[in-house]
Amino acid sequence: MEKLHAVGQSAVRVDGKEKVSGAALFTDDLEFGPDLLYAEIVEGPHAHAMITKIDTSEAEKVPGVLCVVTGRDFPYNFGLYMKDRFIFAQDRVRFFGEQIAAVVARSPAAAKKAARLVRVSYKPLPKILNPLDAIEGDASLIHPGLKSYEHVPWFFPQPDTNIAHHRKIRKGDVEKGFAEADHVLDDTYEVPRYAHCAIEYHAAVAKYDHSGRLTVWASSQSPHTQRNLFANALAPMGIRHNDVRVIAPHVGGGFGSKAGVTMEILAAAIATRVKGHPVKVMWNREREFYNTYQRLGVVARLRLGVKKDGRITALHHELYWDAGAYVEYGANVVNAVGLSAIGPYRVENASIDSYCIYTNLPPGGPYRGFGYSEFLFGLESHMERIARHLGIDPVEIRRRNAIKAGDLTAYGAKMNPSGLMQAIDAVAKEIRWDEPVLPGNDEEAVGKGFSLFWKAPAMPPNTSSSCFLKFNEDASINILVSGMDIGQGFLTVMAQIASEVLTVPLSKIRTENPDTDRNPYEWQTVASHVTWGCGNAVKLAAQDARNQVLDLVSRTQNLPKDTLYLAEGSVRCVTKPSFRMALEDFVIHGIQMPDGTFRGGPIMGRGVFMPEYATTKADPETSQGGHPNVHYTVGAAAAIVAVDKKTGKVKVRKIVEAVDCGKAINPDLVRGQITGGILQGISTVLYEEMKFDHRGKMLNPNFTDYKIPTSLDLPDEVVPIIIEVAEPDGPYGARGMGEHTMIPVAPMIANAIDDALGLRIKTMPITAEKICLALLKKNEVR
Amino acid sequence: MKKISFTLNGERRQVHVSPNEILLEVLRYKMGVKSPKSGCDSGDCGACTVILDGKAVRSCLIFAVEVDGQEILTLEGLSADGLSPLQQALLEKNAFQCGYCAPGMILSAHELLSNKPHPTEGEIKEAISGNLCRCTGYQPIIDAIKSLTQKR
């Protein structure tokens, strides 16, 4: 194996100095001058209602107000995978707090004052706040126009119902599989909605200038997808893709919330009504909760059959997703889970029904884990219960069923190479699975829990990444890519890959957040795919640049190209050890020939990556025959918890998590993802809970009432473990792992609590209150 | 409108504010100091933390008129002569991810270390417990601060 000098090093982040010095600029930190306008959004106070009248006359009279815009100004629908969404509500509102109008004014205060004066009349409609109610025969339709919406070919909406998509898996013979089982466990698990809680709000500023140029500055995971969706939605106004420019500064946390298009399109659309002025749309903490994407809730019915030795004979998984009022992005969460809800197991007989169901709650959408945390809560709870029932060690039952390279996935394609077994062994060893854990005192009960995890990027089959790489006079490098550093360390990892190929030190490589006019195409920074996808593009661009360098030196120095190589920023020759040409001597100005003329010119590399083997073409009744997922990243994790028997409060003593990232380009950043993902996972299982009232209004949209962990809520110990079984088409073998780290946390904590108390809790979150009440009930029964 | 004057990052500054203007907004939108961030506007998240007369405070909960005659330090001021040992340690340990909480977090830790150069891990956790971070799981930040206290 080649010796690597940059890849595999725990380099300091390339954006680190900006971030610790206060220099890093986020969207709301940018200056737009004294002509900046402010838009305030008018929201609907109904979960489901027809809009009968909008009166903006009083609002327009407020001094400083330039205009009021409503849905009538923008009768356009848009969406990433299904065009079911509107810039402003059209004839009806479908969730509490939906945007109906916007007031544009010279100051935020004038805009806010006027927004309160917009009078809207409604005719309430029956609202549906639960996915199971939405599929009752007499349920009112949330989207009567469903059958007319454009959507990707791999969605299957059911017209005249509230089911926007149904992903079906039929593999093997499930009836036969259950008949052969020695033990079948049937149960239902519920996982509610969650909020991303990035600390930075969504923010967007847009300017539609007098030449017809639309520039949008946004806190974004998806600058090119935003450009595409803005241009498509606003095409009736004559706006084309090359008129639209999206500039994405630093992002103060994403976790999926800033993927696709949500509130940013308001700024883009409003700007077209105040031509020549920049206009800012800022969300606040409340709107972060109720008017961006939320993680979808799910009710999962699971039936699993096993032989006496624990081997799985059949699985049936029915998932009813609370996808919210608009599912243009969330339906793909449902789809991804439909394809993968066998978990990281070898399951020959499987049926899966994953239903995307409209409800009158805020739009569900991408959230770190993309549905896998949700279905694995049930599946990994189930595995542990079955193991205990059969008297098999919970780790052993997973070893016996773990999927291996070449096994068939739920849709019939072959599983990629993975270090799942190594991960299981490493975690079991580090957590000392075979040794008993002891309570610290009489008040607490202690237990251990285990969980596997897997996840594939959920992407269209033609998802692509690209890179331009250019040298400067001193052989320093600018890498132009359009992936976003949302904290995961993307920019650093791209620089490390280029450094590896071109032997230029990291200190001489600059990678920054993109501008769609200048930087080449990237689909989105989602799906944990950019290290793999964009990493490939950067590697190809660096190799392209290297090739140009070696070509130039070869033809000017009369040396065979295959004897030339790069080392420490110079071209060297294997047959002439004394030969050395430093890159800075020619990468811009070229190489001078004996007659005084020059050869060469600026060296610029180009790289494009698209996984050309992916396809979503498959039988819709079985999902067999396609290759929708490029690969799965897998891992294992275990936890030791101590539960206070009086209060139900859970203390996490230790968590061990091993993830197979193929190759850790920067091990420190991989460990950072594990540490952070674990706490986010702990938070969903132990603390966070959205409360909605009977009107569908969220009651706790703030950090006082919706708790996320502080530095006082940490596990006593977290041990991250890196497994490296190379991905065949990954850069240096790398595959993504950012989302994965939070996926196993909820089931393994549930399993540990069961181990400690003999209590199986099947609905998240597992709060102290819930444990305490369950303990009281259990003791009463005794 | 009232004219107030205070020391901001070592420089005497004057600004006109109305009585209901929040310090965070005045710093960001009237005085061009962008490192204090808004993350909740209700004192929950700590992203707006600044040092006021030596104490870490939430600038979203303070009216600008209250700071008349006082002294404010933000991350811009702390960085003016290069990175402090605290900032250097956080940088080297890759302690932050998205970096949005960093200005507030660093100032809370700065206050702690100014008063107590050798805090325990418990004291470090307590000192930054008002600064929410959604990315890191806090441990890398705590470890970086701890490494510094051991170095001394």
Side-chain angles (χ1 to χ4, degrees):
Chain A
M1 182 136 179
E2 62 181 319
K3 195 173 170 328
L4 303 173
H5 73 274
V7 162
Q9 301 297 312
S10 283
V12 169
R13 300 177 66 101
V14 297
D15 54 354
K17 196 166 180 185
E18 268 183 280
K19 287 175 174 176
V20 300
S21 68
L25 294 179
F26 298 81
T27 300
D28 191 45
D29 298 338
L30 304 179
E31 293 284 355
F32 294 92
D35 192 34
L36 179 64
L37 304 178
Y38 302 86
E40 180 64 26
I41 305 301
V42 179
E43 305 170 334
H46 293 280
H48 200 194
M50 299 302 294
I51 299 169
T52 54
K53 193 181 169 195
I54 303 177
D55 178 0
T56 61
S57 55
E58 288 304 307
E60 282 160 8
K61 288 178 200 159
V62 173
V65 168
L66 278 83
C67 69
V68 182
V69 298
T70 71
R72 209 171 302 163
D73 295 282
F74 308 104
Y76 317 129
N77 52 355
F78 72 97
L80 185 64
Y81 294 111
M82 172 184 273
K83 291 190 179 177
D84 71 347
R85 200 155 182 178
F86 309 92
I87 299 172
F88 289 96
Q90 297 290 305
D91 57 333
R92 65 168 83 195
V93 287
R94 294 181 173 86
F95 69 95
F96 199 106
E98 184 168 359
Q99 66 279 5
I100 288 169
V103 176
V104 187
R106 281 275 162 209
S107 71
K112 278 195 177 74
K113 183 179 175 189
R116 286 193 292 269
L117 297 173
V118 174
R119 302 274 172 252
V120 188
S121 308
Y122 301 92
K123 184 176 155 237
L125 295 166
K127 59 188 165 299
I128 306 174
L129 304 178
N130 179 309
L132 299 181
D133 294 344
I135 52 173
E136 292 291 323
D138 58 348
S140 64
L141 292 183
I142 295 172
H143 283 265
L146 174 59
K147 55 179 164 284
S148 69
Y149 296 152
E150 272 179 58
H151 59 81
V152 290
W154 68 87
F155 280 2
F156 306 104
Q158 301 189 358
D160 305 316
T161 73
N162 287 317
I163 298 174
H165 176 41
H166 176 191
R167 169 56 60 187
K168 254 190 242 187
I169 292 276
R170 299 292 180 267
K171 182 193 176 199
D173 186 338
V174 173
E175 268 181 43
K176 184 165 156 271
F178 281 118
E180 286 168 5
D182 296 318
H183 175 63
V184 175
L185 181 63
D186 252 308
D187 217 330
T188 299
Y189 298 87
E190 280 183 52
V191 181
R193 291 170 162 252
Y194 286 96
H196 305 76
C197 299
I199 310 297
E200 182 206 24
Y201 309 138
H202 283 68
V205 178
K207 183 175 178 178
Y208 187 53
D209 73 16
H210 292 295
S211 74
R213 178 102 248 240
L214 178 63
T215 307
V216 181
W217 295 260
S219 179
S220 171
Q221 295 177 233
S222 312
H224 278 87
T225 285
Q226 294 187 338
R227 182 185 67 170
N228 186 33
L229 266 62
F230 297 161
N232 286 338
L234 301 175
M237 303 175 63
I239 290 173
R240 295 160 304 187
H241 281 73
N242 70 327
D243 295 325
V244 183
R245 176 180 180 190
V246 176
I247 298 173
H250 284 297
V251 176
F255 314 107
S257 70
K258 291 165 183 163
V261 169
T262 57
M263 57 76 80
E264 306 82 12
I265 202 167
L266 297 172
I270 293 167
T272 64
R273 287 289 179 275
V274 285
K275 217 171 173 178
H277 308 280
V279 58
K280 182 187 277 190
V281 183
M282 275 300 295
W283 251 211
N284 54 27
R285 183 50 57 195
E286 287 73 24
R287 286 197 181 115
E288 283 298 312
F289 279 100
Y290 64 70
N291 195 356
T292 59
Y293 295 125
Q294 295 179 354
R295 193 169 108 173
L296 285 70
V298 71
V299 177
R301 292 185 184 144
L302 179 57
R303 181 172 158 83
L304 196 59
V306 295
K307 300 296 279 184
K308 276 194 196 103
D309 65 0
R311 284 179 208 279
I312 296 169
T313 60
L315 169 146
H316 176 64
H317 216 155
E318 261 171 62
L319 301 117
Y320 298 89
W321 294 90
D322 163 15
Y326 301 99
V327 306
E328 45 89 22
Y329 205 147
N332 210 42
V333 174
V334 175
N335 191 70
V337 171
L339 292 170
S340 300
I342 56 169
Y345 296 114
R346 195 169 50 252
V347 183
E348 280 166 20
N349 307 301
S351 61
I352 300 170
D353 290 283
S354 190
Y355 297 98
C356 178
I357 303 168
Y358 282 122
T359 61
N360 292 116
L361 288 169
Y367 179 118
R368 189 181 202 171
F370 214 66
Y372 287 70
S373 297
E374 295 88 306
F375 86 78
L376 277 164
F377 176 68
L379 183 57
E380 284 298 285
S381 294
H382 232 61
M383 289 301 284
E384 197 110 341
R385 291 169 70 188
I386 287 172
R388 289 176 200 273
H389 175 85
L390 296 175
I392 301 171
D393 183 281
V395 174
E396 184 52 31
I397 198 171
R398 289 172 169 107
R399 281 200 188 100
R400 285 178 193 169
N401 289 291
I403 196 163
K404 295 188 177 70
D407 287 343
L408 297 186
T409 57
Y411 45 83
K414 282 188 178 154
M415 175 63 186
N416 52 286
S418 92
L420 184 55
M421 216 53 101
Q422 291 98 306
I424 294 172
D425 292 344
V427 170
K429 186 171 173 222
E430 173 61 34
I431 202 88
R432 298 169 187 242
W433 185 258
D434 297 326
E435 296 174 22
V437 282
L438 302 172
N441 55 57
D442 291 345
E443 302 294 307
E444 67 179 27
V446 290
K448 281 182 297 207
F450 207 87
S451 177
L452 302 189
F453 59 95
W454 82 339
K455 184 189 175 294
M459 338 181 287
N462 56 345
T463 293
S464 61
S465 300
S466 54
C467 171
F468 291 142
L469 181 150
K470 54 185 182 124
F471 272 103
N472 303 313
E473 290 86 340
D474 63 350
S476 64
I477 292 171
N478 289 80
I479 296 173
L480 301 182
V481 286
S482 292
M484 291 303 302
D485 203 310
I486 53 176
Q488 81 283 50
F490 164 75
L491 294 175
T492 306
V493 164
M494 295 304 112
Q496 286 181 260
I497 289 173
S499 171
E500 186 62 53
V501 175
L502 293 166
T503 72
V504 169
L506 217 50
S507 58
K508 289 181 81 174
I509 301 178
R510 189 167 279 279
T511 38
E512 292 186 337
N513 292 317
D515 166 342
T516 57
D517 258 23
R518 312 281 184 263
N519 296 40
Y521 182 82
E522 169 63 56
W523 171 57
Q524 306 190 81
T525 299
V526 300
S528 302
H529 88 106
V530 288
T531 294
W532 166 77
C534 197
N536 274 324
V538 170
K539 190 177 178 194
L540 289 166
Q543 288 170 337
D544 182 26
R546 181 177 64 187
N547 199 36
Q548 293 171 36
V549 162
L550 301 184
D551 266 339
L552 178 63
V553 171
S554 170
R555 76 182 162 102
T556 56
Q557 310 303 309
N558 288 319
L559 291 167
K561 191 177 161 193
D562 60 6
T563 66
L564 300 175
Y565 65 100
L566 285 172
E568 291 166 356
S570 292
V571 179
R572 307 296 302 268
C573 179
V574 288
T575 56
K576 275 177 74 181
S578 62
F579 180 81
R580 177 188 207 107
M581 282 186 81
L583 289 171
E584 64 251 42
D585 291 340
F586 65 87
V587 284
I588 292 292
H589 298 305
I591 295 175
Q592 192 167 29
M593 304 303 286
D595 67 355
T597 60
F598 284 82
R599 301 289 180 276
I603 301 290
M604 290 187 287
R606 156 191 185 278
V608 169
F609 177 73
M610 181 186 274
E612 294 187 344
Y613 49 89
T615 173
T616 55
K617 276 205 164 174
D619 176 359
E621 292 305 312
T622 65
S623 299
Q624 301 302 306
H627 197 314
N629 290 337
V630 289
H631 56 252
Y632 286 89
T633 297
V634 301
I640 297 174
V641 303
V643 191
D644 185 311
K645 288 187 278 189
K646 283 212 174 89
T647 63
K649 189 171 161 61
V650 176
K651 175 75 196 164
V652 181
R653 280 198 191 168
K654 181 169 181 172
I655 288 188
V656 180
E657 180 172 315
V659 60
D660 178 12
C661 57
K663 172 72 189 172
I665 310 262
N666 185 319
D668 212 12
L669 298 183
V670 170
R671 286 188 288 267
Q673 286 303 298
I674 296 175
T675 313
I678 283 174
L679 192 63
Q680 199 170 356
I682 288 175
S683 190
T684 57
V685 66
L686 295 180
Y687 308 129
E688 295 175 39
E689 187 164 23
M690 285 188 156
K691 305 265 191 190
F692 293 93
D693 71 7
H694 63 284
R695 297 170 298 167
K697 182 185 183 192
M698 190 180 167
L699 295 174
N700 56 337
N702 57 69
F703 288 145
T704 309
D705 302 315
Y706 184 98
K707 294 284 188 206
I708 66 170
T710 73
S711 53
L712 299 174
D713 303 310
L714 309 187
D716 291 341
E717 188 185 3
V718 172
V719 182
I721 297 174
I722 295 171
I723 307 284
E724 295 179 317
V725 173
E727 185 57 40
D729 73 345
Y732 301 96
R735 61 173 86 79
M737 52 70 65
E739 294 171 272
H740 307 70
T741 56
M742 77 176 281
I743 294 174
V745 179
M748 75 181 171
I749 300 266
N751 291 339
I753 290 169
D754 190 7
D755 187 40
L757 300 170
L759 263 187
R760 174 55 57 177
I761 296 181
K762 295 174 282 189
T763 60
M764 282 175 62
I766 307 180
T767 56
E769 181 187 21
K770 199 180 272 179
I771 292 171
C772 196
L773 290 171
L775 277 175
L776 285 173
K777 198 169 163 194
K778 191 181 167 197
N779 293 339
E780 266 170 31
V781 173
R782 268 189 200 159
Chain B
M1 285 286 190
K2 179 177 167 21
K3 187 163 95 178
I4 59 169
S5 67
F6 57 97
T7 305
L8 177 57
N9 295 327
E11 181 189 354
R12 198 78 184 155
R13 298 278 300 266
Q14 295 186 335
V15 63
H16 286 87
V17 297
S18 51
N20 63 348
E21 275 188 273
I22 302 297
L23 177 60
L24 174 63
E25 292 178 2
V26 170
L27 288 173
R28 288 179 56 80
Y29 303 126
K30 284 193 165 172
M31 307 184 84
V33 173
K34 299 296 177 76
S35 77
K37 308 291 186 218
S38 168
C40 69
D41 292 307
S42 56
D44 289 319
C45 79
C48 66
T49 301
V50 299
I51 305 279
L52 177 62
D53 283 353
K55 289 211 170 78
V57 299
R58 279 138 210 267
S59 64
C60 78
L61 294 182
I62 294 175
F63 289 118
V65 289
E66 295 178 73
V67 305
D68 193 18
Q70 302 193 59
E71 191 169 338
I72 289 177
L73 178 75
T74 70
L75 197 54
E76 286 88 345
L78 195 65
S79 308
D81 297 321
L83 299 183
S84 69
L86 168 64
Q87 289 165 295
Q88 194 64 38
L90 291 160
L91 173 69
E92 283 164 15
K93 300 262 177 200
N94 284 321
F96 293 107
Q97 292 184 21
C98 84
Y100 195 77
C101 72
M105 190 77 77
I106 291 170
L107 291 175
S108 292
H110 174 76
E111 183 204 27
L112 170 73
L113 296 175
S114 303
N115 297 320
K116 188 150 199 185
H118 301 285
T120 63
E121 178 156 343
E123 287 166 334
I124 294 170
K125 286 182 177 177
E126 184 71 40
I128 61 167
S129 65
N131 294 86
L132 294 179
C133 167
R134 189 60 152 173
C135 296
T136 64
Y138 301 101
Q139 199 61 50
I141 298 170
I142 295 164
D143 291 345
I145 300 171
K146 218 164 57 178
S147 76
L148 189 76
T149 66
Q150 287 159 354
K151 225 185 278 174
R152 285 177 183 178

